[in-house]
Amino acid sequence: MKAIVLNEFGGVDQLVITDVPKPTVKEDEVLIKVIAISINPVDVKTRAGKGIAGRLRDNRPLIIGWDISGTITELGEQVTDFKIGDDVFGMVNFPGHGKAYAEYVAAPASQLAVKPATVSHQEAAAATLAALTAYQAFMHKAPVQPGQRLLIHAAAGGVGHFAVQLAKHLGAYVIGTSSAANKEFVLSLGADEHIDYTTERFEEAVSDIDLVLDLVGGQNIVRSLEVIKSGGTLISIPTGISDELAAQAKANDVTAFFFLVQSNGVDMQQIATLLDQGALKSHVSQTYSFDNMEKAHLQQETGKTKGKLVITLD
Ligand SMILES: NC(=O)c1ccc[n+]([C@@H]2O[C@H](COP(=O)([O-])OP(=O)(O)OC[C@H]3O[C@@H](n4cnc5c(N)ncnc54)[C@H](OP(=O)(O)O)[C@@H]3O)[C@@H](O)[C@H]2O)c1
């Protein structure tokens, strides 16, 4: 089968289409013929030797990518929840060796959900790592309550566009940040208010926030502390919390933390239900063919992607 192998960490020229053996399934795994793959910032960071590169350094051949949707072609002996021919989607083995940039992927059945018939493989692939991050943040890490005031930074991006929809579904009041070009998009996702970060300082525009989901990092995290009320929460998604920030958060009576999304089939099934109900919708801004992975990485690297980028395999 064809896979995109990363020979060395580096630029997009390191993503090389290569013939490799089809994976064999372990007892608890299924083999999936991949129809769509979604791309994330962690793909490009890891390709460049950052992201989760440290965890993958010794794997050869190294095949990055985690988000897939496709059809089951083989079942491991212990798998009872799925059958051959099922269309499934999920985030495979994150944070580990996902091997998703391939025509076939072996995935633990416990990390997958059946793809609702109402969504395409492209939309399903898009609703994996990014959707799980929003889901795990708002359902497990800092459960969102109706009426809470949420500030979601980078609301137009991969995680942000799911986070806005999920927060609204949970009954929160949502303020989303993006550039002016994505204002209508953010409002169309259900946000109650929009802040254009290029012309406004959000800390001058909002206050009394219960929960900030920061998807930008750097000074944005520090500045976010200013708008959170006592007893509120700051979730930093791109980077960890420095000791200095932790001390400031404590002084402000704010709970501040970083978390890393984890593969989880139970959460994927909940996402499948939300997609099927129309409570969550993937926005796929661009699709690419498998041999155009380079272009998808270059677009993802701009930091200006609206919604998600998806690779389609025929
Ligand atoms: N910890 C974890 O488990 C985890 C999971 C998922 C993602 N992440 C990390 O979280 C970050 C976001 O991921 P993502 O997939 O959502 O990224 P993304 O899709 O690449 O985000 C792109 C969006 O960011 C917006 N943006 C850029 N600068 C901004 C700013 N200063 N203020 C507000 N919006 C801004 C852009 O909007 P405009 O074009 O309008 O500027 C664009 O729509 C990445 O660093 C990623 O690696 C971590």
PDB file of all heavy atoms in Angstrom, residues 40-42 45 94 129 133 153-160 177-179 182 197 215-216 220 237-238 258-261 300 303-308, ligand 1:
ATOM      1  N   ASN A  40      -3.791  18.515  11.125  1.00  0.00           N
ATOM      2  CA  ASN A  40      -3.811  19.359  12.324  1.00  0.00           C
ATOM      3  C   ASN A  40      -2.480  20.086  12.463  1.00  0.00           C
ATOM      4  O   ASN A  40      -1.470  19.632  11.913  1.00  0.00           O
ATOM      5  CB  ASN A  40      -3.995  18.482  13.569  1.00  0.00           C
ATOM      6  CG  ASN A  40      -5.354  17.817  13.587  1.00  0.00           C
ATOM      7  OD1 ASN A  40      -6.356  18.464  13.832  1.00  0.00           O
ATOM      8  ND2 ASN A  40      -5.388  16.531  13.295  1.00  0.00           N
ATOM      9  N   PRO A  41      -2.456  21.162  13.268  1.00  0.00           N
ATOM     10  CA  PRO A  41      -1.165  21.796  13.533  1.00  0.00           C
ATOM     11  C   PRO A  41      -0.133  20.821  14.099  1.00  0.00           C
ATOM     12  O   PRO A  41       1.057  20.933  13.789  1.00  0.00           O
ATOM     13  CB  PRO A  41      -1.515  22.889  14.555  1.00  0.00           C
ATOM     14  CG  PRO A  41      -2.941  23.228  14.257  1.00  0.00           C
ATOM     15  CD  PRO A  41      -3.583  21.927  13.852  1.00  0.00           C
ATOM     16  N   VAL A  42      -0.574  19.822  14.882  1.00  0.00           N
ATOM     17  CA  VAL A  42       0.411  18.876  15.451  1.00  0.00           C
ATOM     18  C   VAL A  42       1.063  18.039  14.353  1.00  0.00           C
ATOM     19  O   VAL A  42       2.205  17.595  14.508  1.00  0.00           O
ATOM     20  CB  VAL A  42      -0.223  17.986  16.558  1.00  0.00           C
ATOM     21  CG1 VAL A  42      -1.173  16.960  15.986  1.00  0.00           C
ATOM     22  CG2 VAL A  42       0.850  17.313  17.406  1.00  0.00           C
ATOM     23  N   LYS A  45       3.809  20.437  13.147  1.00  0.00           N
ATOM     24  CA  LYS A  45       4.826  20.620  14.194  1.00  0.00           C
ATOM     25  C   LYS A  45       5.674  19.355  14.305  1.00  0.00           C
ATOM     26  O   LYS A  45       6.901  19.420  14.412  1.00  0.00           O
ATOM     27  CB  LYS A  45       4.154  20.899  15.549  1.00  0.00           C
ATOM     28  CG  LYS A  45       3.466  22.255  15.638  1.00  0.00           C
ATOM     29  CD  LYS A  45       2.791  22.409  16.998  1.00  0.00           C
ATOM     30  CE  LYS A  45       1.897  23.626  17.061  1.00  0.00           C
ATOM     31  NZ  LYS A  45       1.161  23.743  18.326  1.00  0.00           N
ATOM     32  N   PHE A  94      -3.380   8.672  19.490  1.00  0.00           N
ATOM     33  CA  PHE A  94      -2.794   9.958  19.864  1.00  0.00           C
ATOM     34  C   PHE A  94      -2.749  10.054  21.381  1.00  0.00           C
ATOM     35  O   PHE A  94      -3.738   9.777  22.033  1.00  0.00           O
ATOM     36  CB  PHE A  94      -3.606  11.128  19.299  1.00  0.00           C
ATOM     37  CG  PHE A  94      -2.882  12.441  19.437  1.00  0.00           C
ATOM     38  CD1 PHE A  94      -1.970  12.837  18.477  1.00  0.00           C
ATOM     39  CD2 PHE A  94      -3.094  13.247  20.547  1.00  0.00           C
ATOM     40  CE1 PHE A  94      -1.272  14.029  18.618  1.00  0.00           C
ATOM     41  CE2 PHE A  94      -2.392  14.436  20.695  1.00  0.00           C
ATOM     42  CZ  PHE A  94      -1.491  14.827  19.723  1.00  0.00           C
ATOM     43  N   LEU A 129      -9.499  14.746  15.942  1.00  0.00           N
ATOM     44  CA  LEU A 129      -8.625  15.385  16.946  1.00  0.00           C
ATOM     45  C   LEU A 129      -9.172  16.751  17.391  1.00  0.00           C
ATOM     46  O   LEU A 129      -9.247  17.035  18.587  1.00  0.00           O
ATOM     47  CB  LEU A 129      -7.195  15.528  16.403  1.00  0.00           C
ATOM     48  CG  LEU A 129      -6.138  16.021  17.394  1.00  0.00           C
ATOM     49  CD1 LEU A 129      -4.766  15.423  17.090  1.00  0.00           C
ATOM     50  CD2 LEU A 129      -6.016  17.535  17.452  1.00  0.00           C
ATOM     51  N   THR A 133     -10.726  17.472  21.110  1.00  0.00           N
ATOM     52  CA  THR A 133     -10.096  18.449  22.007  1.00  0.00           C
ATOM     53  C   THR A 133     -11.164  19.335  22.645  1.00  0.00           C
ATOM     54  O   THR A 133     -11.183  19.538  23.869  1.00  0.00           O
ATOM     55  CB  THR A 133      -9.075  19.302  21.231  1.00  0.00           C
ATOM     56  OG1 THR A 133      -8.136  18.439  20.594  1.00  0.00           O
ATOM     57  CG2 THR A 133      -8.347  20.271  22.150  1.00  0.00           C
ATOM     58  N   HIS A 153     -10.615  31.653  22.043  1.00  0.00           N
ATOM     59  CA  HIS A 153      -9.662  32.279  21.124  1.00  0.00           C
ATOM     60  C   HIS A 153      -9.441  31.377  19.911  1.00  0.00           C
ATOM     61  O   HIS A 153      -9.406  30.152  20.050  1.00  0.00           O
ATOM     62  CB  HIS A 153      -8.320  32.505  21.826  1.00  0.00           C
ATOM     63  CG  HIS A 153      -8.370  33.555  22.890  1.00  0.00           C
ATOM     64  ND1 HIS A 153      -8.661  34.873  22.613  1.00  0.00           N
ATOM     65  CD2 HIS A 153      -8.170  33.488  24.224  1.00  0.00           C
ATOM     66  CE1 HIS A 153      -8.627  35.573  23.733  1.00  0.00           C
ATOM     67  NE2 HIS A 153      -8.336  34.754  24.727  1.00  0.00           N
ATOM     68  N   ALA A 154      -9.231  31.998  18.757  1.00  0.00           N
ATOM     69  CA  ALA A 154      -9.078  31.254  17.484  1.00  0.00           C
ATOM     70  C   ALA A 154     -10.337  30.444  17.196  1.00  0.00           C
ATOM     71  O   ALA A 154     -10.281  29.260  16.856  1.00  0.00           O
ATOM     72  CB  ALA A 154      -7.830  30.384  17.480  1.00  0.00           C
ATOM     73  N   ALA A 155     -11.467  31.122  17.324  1.00  0.00           N
ATOM     74  CA  ALA A 155     -12.768  30.463  17.186  1.00  0.00           C
ATOM     75  C   ALA A 155     -13.041  29.982  15.765  1.00  0.00           C
ATOM     76  O   ALA A 155     -13.930  29.157  15.547  1.00  0.00           O
ATOM     77  CB  ALA A 155     -13.871  31.425  17.630  1.00  0.00           C
ATOM     78  N   ALA A 156     -12.297  30.492  14.788  1.00  0.00           N
ATOM     79  CA  ALA A 156     -12.542  30.094  13.392  1.00  0.00           C
ATOM     80  C   ALA A 156     -11.699  28.903  12.964  1.00  0.00           C
ATOM     81  O   ALA A 156     -11.863  28.381  11.863  1.00  0.00           O
ATOM     82  CB  ALA A 156     -12.242  31.280  12.454  1.00  0.00           C
ATOM     83  N   GLY A 157     -10.795  28.448  13.835  1.00  0.00           N
ATOM     84  CA  GLY A 157      -9.875  27.375  13.443  1.00  0.00           C
ATOM     85  C   GLY A 157     -10.460  25.986  13.675  1.00  0.00           C
ATOM     86  O   GLY A 157     -11.655  25.830  13.964  1.00  0.00           O
ATOM     87  N   GLY A 158      -9.589  24.986  13.567  1.00  0.00           N
ATOM     88  CA  GLY A 158     -10.027  23.598  13.673  1.00  0.00           C
ATOM     89  C   GLY A 158     -10.708  23.301  14.999  1.00  0.00           C
ATOM     90  O   GLY A 158     -11.870  22.888  15.045  1.00  0.00           O
ATOM     91  N   VAL A 159     -10.002  23.519  16.098  1.00  0.00           N
ATOM     92  CA  VAL A 159     -10.588  23.256  17.420  1.00  0.00           C
ATOM     93  C   VAL A 159     -11.660  24.293  17.718  1.00  0.00           C
ATOM     94  O   VAL A 159     -12.762  23.954  18.181  1.00  0.00           O
ATOM     95  CB  VAL A 159      -9.505  23.293  18.533  1.00  0.00           C
ATOM     96  CG1 VAL A 159     -10.137  23.050  19.894  1.00  0.00           C
ATOM     97  CG2 VAL A 159      -8.405  22.268  18.256  1.00  0.00           C
ATOM     98  N   GLY A 160     -11.346  25.566  17.434  1.00  0.00           N
ATOM     99  CA  GLY A 160     -12.250  26.661  17.795  1.00  0.00           C
ATOM    100  C   GLY A 160     -13.637  26.518  17.208  1.00  0.00           C
ATOM    101  O   GLY A 160     -14.640  26.759  17.891  1.00  0.00           O
ATOM    102  N   THR A 177     -12.957  34.890  19.223  1.00  0.00           N
ATOM    103  CA  THR A 177     -12.029  35.815  18.564  1.00  0.00           C
ATOM    104  C   THR A 177     -11.554  35.235  17.229  1.00  0.00           C
ATOM    105  O   THR A 177     -11.374  34.027  17.083  1.00  0.00           O
ATOM    106  CB  THR A 177     -10.782  36.115  19.428  1.00  0.00           C
ATOM    107  OG1 THR A 177      -9.975  34.936  19.526  1.00  0.00           O
ATOM    108  CG2 THR A 177     -11.148  36.582  20.812  1.00  0.00           C
ATOM    109  N   SER A 178     -11.391  36.130  16.270  1.00  0.00           N
ATOM    110  CA  SER A 178     -10.777  35.793  14.970  1.00  0.00           C
ATOM    111  C   SER A 178     -10.472  37.121  14.284  1.00  0.00           C
ATOM    112  O   SER A 178     -10.796  38.177  14.830  1.00  0.00           O
ATOM    113  CB  SER A 178     -11.722  34.955  14.095  1.00  0.00           C
ATOM    114  OG  SER A 178     -12.706  35.775  13.495  1.00  0.00           O
ATOM    115  N   SER A 179      -9.914  37.058  13.091  1.00  0.00           N
ATOM    116  CA  SER A 179      -9.769  38.289  12.307  1.00  0.00           C
ATOM    117  C   SER A 179     -11.143  38.646  11.726  1.00  0.00           C
ATOM    118  O   SER A 179     -12.073  37.829  11.743  1.00  0.00           O
ATOM    119  CB  SER A 179      -8.763  38.083  11.178  1.00  0.00           C
ATOM    120  OG  SER A 179      -9.287  37.157  10.250  1.00  0.00           O
ATOM    121  N   ASN A 182     -13.108  36.365   9.296  1.00  0.00           N
ATOM    122  CA  ASN A 182     -13.858  35.193   9.782  1.00  0.00           C
ATOM    123  C   ASN A 182     -14.982  35.554  10.748  1.00  0.00           C
ATOM    124  O   ASN A 182     -15.559  34.677  11.384  1.00  0.00           O
ATOM    125  CB  ASN A 182     -12.902  34.200  10.443  1.00  0.00           C
ATOM    126  CG  ASN A 182     -12.083  33.455   9.408  1.00  0.00           C
ATOM    127  OD1 ASN A 182     -12.613  33.064   8.363  1.00  0.00           O
ATOM    128  ND2 ASN A 182     -10.799  33.273   9.676  1.00  0.00           N
ATOM    129  N   TYR A 197      -9.372  40.286  16.767  1.00  0.00           N
ATOM    130  CA  TYR A 197      -8.131  40.454  17.544  1.00  0.00           C
ATOM    131  C   TYR A 197      -7.131  41.371  16.848  1.00  0.00           C
ATOM    132  O   TYR A 197      -6.173  41.820  17.459  1.00  0.00           O
ATOM    133  CB  TYR A 197      -7.488  39.089  17.845  1.00  0.00           C
ATOM    134  CG  TYR A 197      -6.880  38.394  16.646  1.00  0.00           C
ATOM    135  CD1 TYR A 197      -5.563  38.610  16.262  1.00  0.00           C
ATOM    136  CD2 TYR A 197      -7.653  37.527  15.870  1.00  0.00           C
ATOM    137  CE1 TYR A 197      -5.018  37.975  15.151  1.00  0.00           C
ATOM    138  CE2 TYR A 197      -7.118  36.890  14.757  1.00  0.00           C
ATOM    139  CZ  TYR A 197      -5.804  37.119  14.399  1.00  0.00           C
ATOM    140  OH  TYR A 197      -5.271  36.496  13.302  1.00  0.00           O
ATOM    141  N   LEU A 215      -6.473  28.959  22.276  1.00  0.00           N
ATOM    142  CA  LEU A 215      -5.956  28.129  21.177  1.00  0.00           C
ATOM    143  C   LEU A 215      -4.863  28.868  20.427  1.00  0.00           C
ATOM    144  O   LEU A 215      -4.510  28.486  19.311  1.00  0.00           O
ATOM    145  CB  LEU A 215      -7.113  27.755  20.235  1.00  0.00           C
ATOM    146  CG  LEU A 215      -8.199  26.910  20.905  1.00  0.00           C
ATOM    147  CD1 LEU A 215      -9.510  26.971  20.134  1.00  0.00           C
ATOM    148  CD2 LEU A 215      -7.733  25.467  21.048  1.00  0.00           C
ATOM    149  N   VAL A 216      -4.338  29.953  21.045  1.00  0.00           N
ATOM    150  CA  VAL A 216      -3.344  30.795  20.364  1.00  0.00           C
ATOM    151  C   VAL A 216      -1.975  30.675  21.016  1.00  0.00           C
ATOM    152  O   VAL A 216      -0.950  30.547  20.339  1.00  0.00           O
ATOM    153  CB  VAL A 216      -3.819  32.266  20.339  1.00  0.00           C
ATOM    154  CG1 VAL A 216      -2.740  33.180  19.769  1.00  0.00           C
ATOM    155  CG2 VAL A 216      -5.107  32.390  19.531  1.00  0.00           C
ATOM    156  N   ASN A 220      -1.153  35.627  24.610  1.00  0.00           N
ATOM    157  CA  ASN A 220      -2.606  35.495  24.666  1.00  0.00           C
ATOM    158  C   ASN A 220      -3.054  34.808  25.963  1.00  0.00           C
ATOM    159  O   ASN A 220      -4.092  35.152  26.532  1.00  0.00           O
ATOM    160  CB  ASN A 220      -3.085  34.653  23.470  1.00  0.00           C
ATOM    161  CG  ASN A 220      -4.292  35.249  22.805  1.00  0.00           C
ATOM    162  OD1 ASN A 220      -4.201  36.357  22.278  1.00  0.00           O
ATOM    163  ND2 ASN A 220      -5.401  34.551  22.852  1.00  0.00           N
ATOM    164  N   ILE A 237      -4.409  25.321  25.389  1.00  0.00           N
ATOM    165  CA  ILE A 237      -4.341  24.137  24.518  1.00  0.00           C
ATOM    166  C   ILE A 237      -3.012  24.039  23.745  1.00  0.00           C
ATOM    167  O   ILE A 237      -2.469  22.956  23.604  1.00  0.00           O
ATOM    168  CB  ILE A 237      -5.566  24.111  23.559  1.00  0.00           C
ATOM    169  CG1 ILE A 237      -6.863  23.933  24.372  1.00  0.00           C
ATOM    170  CG2 ILE A 237      -5.437  23.026  22.507  1.00  0.00           C
ATOM    171  CD1 ILE A 237      -7.022  22.594  25.052  1.00  0.00           C
ATOM    172  N   PRO A 238      -2.430  25.159  23.258  1.00  0.00           N
ATOM    173  CA  PRO A 238      -1.186  25.007  22.478  1.00  0.00           C
ATOM    174  C   PRO A 238       0.048  24.691  23.319  1.00  0.00           C
ATOM    175  O   PRO A 238       0.923  23.979  22.864  1.00  0.00           O
ATOM    176  CB  PRO A 238      -1.013  26.358  21.779  1.00  0.00           C
ATOM    177  CG  PRO A 238      -2.310  27.061  21.928  1.00  0.00           C
ATOM    178  CD  PRO A 238      -2.941  26.533  23.166  1.00  0.00           C
ATOM    179  N   PHE A 258      -3.026  23.020  31.186  1.00  0.00           N
ATOM    180  CA  PHE A 258      -2.857  22.530  29.816  1.00  0.00           C
ATOM    181  C   PHE A 258      -3.337  21.092  29.815  1.00  0.00           C
ATOM    182  O   PHE A 258      -3.186  20.391  30.819  1.00  0.00           O
ATOM    183  CB  PHE A 258      -1.365  22.586  29.461  1.00  0.00           C
ATOM    184  CG  PHE A 258      -0.972  21.734  28.289  1.00  0.00           C
ATOM    185  CD1 PHE A 258      -1.142  22.188  26.994  1.00  0.00           C
ATOM    186  CD2 PHE A 258      -0.429  20.458  28.481  1.00  0.00           C
ATOM    187  CE1 PHE A 258      -0.777  21.398  25.904  1.00  0.00           C
ATOM    188  CE2 PHE A 258      -0.062  19.665  27.397  1.00  0.00           C
ATOM    189  CZ  PHE A 258      -0.243  20.136  26.106  1.00  0.00           C
ATOM    190  N   PHE A 259      -3.918  20.647  28.726  1.00  0.00           N
ATOM    191  CA  PHE A 259      -4.108  19.199  28.608  1.00  0.00           C
ATOM    192  C   PHE A 259      -3.897  18.776  27.168  1.00  0.00           C
ATOM    193  O   PHE A 259      -4.015  19.584  26.243  1.00  0.00           O
ATOM    194  CB  PHE A 259      -5.479  18.752  29.142  1.00  0.00           C
ATOM    195  CG  PHE A 259      -6.595  18.841  28.138  1.00  0.00           C
ATOM    196  CD1 PHE A 259      -6.962  17.718  27.397  1.00  0.00           C
ATOM    197  CD2 PHE A 259      -7.271  20.021  27.925  1.00  0.00           C
ATOM    198  CE1 PHE A 259      -7.981  17.787  26.462  1.00  0.00           C
ATOM    199  CE2 PHE A 259      -8.289  20.103  26.995  1.00  0.00           C
ATOM    200  CZ  PHE A 259      -8.646  18.989  26.260  1.00  0.00           C
ATOM    201  N   LEU A 260      -3.555  17.500  27.041  1.00  0.00           N
ATOM    202  CA  LEU A 260      -3.300  16.918  25.722  1.00  0.00           C
ATOM    203  C   LEU A 260      -4.449  15.971  25.411  1.00  0.00           C
ATOM    204  O   LEU A 260      -4.766  15.089  26.222  1.00  0.00           O
ATOM    205  CB  LEU A 260      -1.968  16.150  25.786  1.00  0.00           C
ATOM    206  CG  LEU A 260      -1.325  15.724  24.479  1.00  0.00           C
ATOM    207  CD1 LEU A 260      -1.034  16.908  23.565  1.00  0.00           C
ATOM    208  CD2 LEU A 260      -0.020  14.969  24.778  1.00  0.00           C
ATOM    209  N   VAL A 261      -5.061  16.159  24.249  1.00  0.00           N
ATOM    210  CA  VAL A 261      -6.180  15.304  23.848  1.00  0.00           C
ATOM    211  C   VAL A 261      -5.717  13.841  23.777  1.00  0.00           C
ATOM    212  O   VAL A 261      -4.561  13.568  23.454  1.00  0.00           O
ATOM    213  CB  VAL A 261      -6.746  15.806  22.490  1.00  0.00           C
ATOM    214  CG1 VAL A 261      -5.741  15.681  21.365  1.00  0.00           C
ATOM    215  CG2 VAL A 261      -8.056  15.100  22.136  1.00  0.00           C
ATOM    216  N   GLN A 300      -1.750  24.571   6.396  1.00  0.00           N
ATOM    217  CA  GLN A 300      -1.934  24.457   7.852  1.00  0.00           C
ATOM    218  C   GLN A 300      -0.917  25.324   8.594  1.00  0.00           C
ATOM    219  O   GLN A 300      -1.232  25.949   9.601  1.00  0.00           O
ATOM    220  CB  GLN A 300      -1.809  22.988   8.278  1.00  0.00           C
ATOM    221  CG  GLN A 300      -2.178  22.717   9.733  1.00  0.00           C
ATOM    222  CD  GLN A 300      -3.674  22.786   9.985  1.00  0.00           C
ATOM    223  OE1 GLN A 300      -4.440  21.974   9.515  1.00  0.00           O
ATOM    224  NE2 GLN A 300      -4.105  23.789  10.729  1.00  0.00           N
ATOM    225  N   GLY A 303      -1.349  29.166   9.841  1.00  0.00           N
ATOM    226  CA  GLY A 303      -2.054  29.580  11.058  1.00  0.00           C
ATOM    227  C   GLY A 303      -3.330  30.343  10.750  1.00  0.00           C
ATOM    228  O   GLY A 303      -3.926  30.959  11.637  1.00  0.00           O
ATOM    229  N   LYS A 304      -3.746  30.334   9.489  1.00  0.00           N
ATOM    230  CA  LYS A 304      -4.924  31.113   9.069  1.00  0.00           C
ATOM    231  C   LYS A 304      -6.030  30.201   8.519  1.00  0.00           C
ATOM    232  O   LYS A 304      -6.918  30.673   7.817  1.00  0.00           O
ATOM    233  CB  LYS A 304      -4.524  32.108   7.963  1.00  0.00           C
ATOM    234  CG  LYS A 304      -3.452  33.113   8.346  1.00  0.00           C
ATOM    235  CD  LYS A 304      -3.910  34.113   9.382  1.00  0.00           C
ATOM    236  CE  LYS A 304      -4.904  35.113   8.829  1.00  0.00           C
ATOM    237  NZ  LYS A 304      -5.347  36.045   9.891  1.00  0.00           N
ATOM    238  N   THR A 305      -5.951  28.922   8.826  1.00  0.00           N
ATOM    239  CA  THR A 305      -6.947  28.000   8.254  1.00  0.00           C
ATOM    240  C   THR A 305      -8.308  28.197   8.912  1.00  0.00           C
ATOM    241  O   THR A 305      -8.425  28.331  10.130  1.00  0.00           O
ATOM    242  CB  THR A 305      -6.464  26.544   8.421  1.00  0.00           C
ATOM    243  OG1 THR A 305      -5.266  26.408   7.661  1.00  0.00           O
ATOM    244  CG2 THR A 305      -7.497  25.554   7.934  1.00  0.00           C
ATOM    245  N   LYS A 306      -9.337  28.220   8.070  1.00  0.00           N
ATOM    246  CA  LYS A 306     -10.722  28.316   8.552  1.00  0.00           C
ATOM    247  C   LYS A 306     -11.240  26.885   8.666  1.00  0.00           C
ATOM    248  O   LYS A 306     -11.191  26.138   7.675  1.00  0.00           O
ATOM    249  CB  LYS A 306     -11.502  29.119   7.514  1.00  0.00           C
ATOM    250  CG  LYS A 306     -12.969  29.322   7.798  1.00  0.00           C
ATOM    251  CD  LYS A 306     -13.519  30.209   6.693  1.00  0.00           C
ATOM    252  CE  LYS A 306     -15.008  30.363   6.767  1.00  0.00           C
ATOM    253  NZ  LYS A 306     -15.517  31.198   5.648  1.00  0.00           N
ATOM    254  N   GLY A 307     -11.708  26.471   9.838  1.00  0.00           N
ATOM    255  CA  GLY A 307     -12.177  25.089  10.012  1.00  0.00           C
ATOM    256  C   GLY A 307     -11.050  24.110   9.756  1.00  0.00           C
ATOM    257  O   GLY A 307      -9.936  24.275  10.251  1.00  0.00           O
ATOM    258  N   LYS A 308     -11.315  23.108   8.925  1.00  0.00           N
ATOM    259  CA  LYS A 308     -10.379  21.991   8.769  1.00  0.00           C
ATOM    260  C   LYS A 308      -9.916  21.782   7.330  1.00  0.00           C
ATOM    261  O   LYS A 308     -10.614  22.116   6.382  1.00  0.00           O
ATOM    262  CB  LYS A 308     -11.082  20.699   9.206  1.00  0.00           C
ATOM    263  CG  LYS A 308     -11.457  20.622  10.664  1.00  0.00           C
ATOM    264  CD  LYS A 308     -10.265  20.600  11.601  1.00  0.00           C
ATOM    265  CE  LYS A 308      -9.349  19.444  11.318  1.00  0.00           C
ATOM    266  NZ  LYS A 308      -8.083  19.541  12.069  1.00  0.00           N
TER     267      LYS A 308
HETATM  268  N1  LIG B   1      -3.184  20.150  23.588  1.00  0.00           N
HETATM  269  C1  LIG B   1      -3.853  19.489  22.665  1.00  0.00           C
HETATM  270  O1  LIG B   1      -4.285  18.349  22.850  1.00  0.00           O
HETATM  271  C2  LIG B   1      -4.144  20.164  21.340  1.00  0.00           C
HETATM  272  C3  LIG B   1      -5.174  19.689  20.540  1.00  0.00           C
HETATM  273  C4  LIG B   1      -5.501  20.377  19.378  1.00  0.00           C
HETATM  274  C5  LIG B   1      -4.774  21.507  19.014  1.00  0.00           C
HETATM  275  N2  LIG B   1      -3.748  21.918  19.785  1.00  0.00           N
HETATM  276  C6  LIG B   1      -3.003  23.156  19.449  1.00  0.00           C
HETATM  277  O2  LIG B   1      -3.937  24.232  19.574  1.00  0.00           O
HETATM  278  C7  LIG B   1      -3.665  25.222  18.579  1.00  0.00           C
HETATM  279  C8  LIG B   1      -4.908  25.474  17.727  1.00  0.00           C
HETATM  280  O3  LIG B   1      -5.207  24.315  16.978  1.00  0.00           O
HETATM  281  P1  LIG B   1      -6.223  24.421  15.751  1.00  0.00           P
HETATM  282  O4  LIG B   1      -6.290  23.077  15.110  1.00  0.00           O
HETATM  283  O5  LIG B   1      -7.493  25.056  16.162  1.00  0.00           O
HETATM  284  O6  LIG B   1      -5.393  25.438  14.808  1.00  0.00           O
HETATM  285  P2  LIG B   1      -5.777  26.109  13.422  1.00  0.00           P
HETATM  286  O7  LIG B   1      -6.955  25.426  12.823  1.00  0.00           O
HETATM  287  O8  LIG B   1      -4.541  26.175  12.616  1.00  0.00           O
HETATM  288  O9  LIG B   1      -6.191  27.596  13.842  1.00  0.00           O
HETATM  289  C9  LIG B   1      -6.283  28.529  12.819  1.00  0.00           C
HETATM  290  C10 LIG B   1      -7.099  29.709  13.275  1.00  0.00           C
HETATM  291  O10 LIG B   1      -6.379  30.482  14.229  1.00  0.00           O
HETATM  292  C11 LIG B   1      -6.876  31.814  14.134  1.00  0.00           C
HETATM  293  N3  LIG B   1      -5.938  32.736  14.747  1.00  0.00           N
HETATM  294  C12 LIG B   1      -4.615  32.885  14.449  1.00  0.00           C
HETATM  295  N4  LIG B   1      -4.079  33.800  15.294  1.00  0.00           N
HETATM  296  C13 LIG B   1      -5.071  34.223  16.120  1.00  0.00           C
HETATM  297  C14 LIG B   1      -5.133  35.161  17.206  1.00  0.00           C
HETATM  298  N5  LIG B   1      -4.049  35.843  17.625  1.00  0.00           N
HETATM  299  N6  LIG B   1      -6.323  35.335  17.830  1.00  0.00           N
HETATM  300  C15 LIG B   1      -7.425  34.654  17.428  1.00  0.00           C
HETATM  301  N7  LIG B   1      -7.431  33.769  16.399  1.00  0.00           N
HETATM  302  C16 LIG B   1      -6.260  33.556  15.774  1.00  0.00           C
HETATM  303  C17 LIG B   1      -7.066  32.020  12.650  1.00  0.00           C
HETATM  304  O11 LIG B   1      -8.110  32.943  12.475  1.00  0.00           O
HETATM  305  P3  LIG B   1      -7.887  34.199  11.482  1.00  0.00           P
HETATM  306  O12 LIG B   1      -7.486  33.575  10.145  1.00  0.00           O
HETATM  307  O13 LIG B   1      -9.211  34.861  11.471  1.00  0.00           O
HETATM  308  O14 LIG B   1      -6.745  34.987  12.060  1.00  0.00           O
HETATM  309  C18 LIG B   1      -7.431  30.615  12.121  1.00  0.00           C
HETATM  310  O15 LIG B   1      -8.802  30.459  11.822  1.00  0.00           O
HETATM  311  C19 LIG B   1      -2.452  24.699  17.797  1.00  0.00           C
HETATM  312  O16 LIG B   1      -1.284  25.219  18.399  1.00  0.00           O
HETATM  313  C20 LIG B   1      -2.505  23.189  18.034  1.00  0.00           C
HETATM  314  O17 LIG B   1      -1.255  22.545  17.883  1.00  0.00           O
HETATM  315  C21 LIG B   1      -3.394  21.272  20.944  1.00  0.00           C
END
